[in-house]
Amino acid sequence: MIELKVGKFNSYNAGQLNTYLNYYRSMIMEHNDNPPVGILLVTNKNDTLVEFAIAGMDNQLFVSKYMVELPDSEQLKKLIQAQVCRWKN
C-alpha cells in the first residue's frame, strides 16, 4: 500500500497506514499472499520523529520523503551517492 501525503510527516499518518495494513492482513489477504508492505510518502520528513513514531509497528511500514520537482543532475548524483554510502555503512 502506498499513501501519499502533502505535508510534514506526523504520527497520525503512520498510525493510519498501519491500520490499513492490519485491515488488509486480517480481511483481504489470502493464505498464500506475502505480507503487505506500507509505504508512506511525505513532502517533509523528520527522521527522529519517524523512528519513534513507527517503533513497534509493523516492520513492513516505511516512510520516505518525496520531491515535487526533480533536482538537477548534479544534485541527483549527490543524493544517490549519499544513499549508497548510507546503505554500505
Side-chain angles (χ1 to χ4, degrees):
M1 301 182 163
I2 299 175
E3 188 164 357
L4 178 66
K5 296 290 186 182
V6 178
K8 294 180 179 179
F9 170 84
N10 63 57
S11 56
Y12 173 79
N13 300 142
Q16 184 178 33
L17 183 54
N18 195 50
T19 300
Y20 298 155
L21 291 171
N22 288 327
Y23 175 83
Y24 183 88
R25 188 179 295 110
S26 176
M27 305 299 287
I28 298 171
M29 193 169 121
E30 300 289 331
H31 71 279
N32 59 344
D33 287 344
N34 289 326
V37 173
I39 301 171
L40 176 60
L41 298 172
V42 294
T43 54
N44 198 350
K45 177 180 110 167
N46 176 318
D47 290 330
T48 303
L49 178 58
V50 169
E51 181 181 343
F52 286 111
I54 66 173
M57 280 188 177
D58 192 312
N59 65 355
Q60 294 294 80
L61 193 153
F62 304 96
V63 179
S64 189
K65 179 180 175 180
Y66 72 93
M67 295 177 272
V68 260
E69 294 179 9
L70 286 176
D72 64 40
S73 61
E74 194 57 38
Q75 289 174 316
L76 195 53
K77 285 179 191 175
K78 288 178 183 177
L79 178 65
I80 292 170
Q81 288 171 346
Q83 292 301 314
V84 168
C85 289
R86 186 171 158 210
W87 283 101
K88 285 183 178 178
N89 295 330

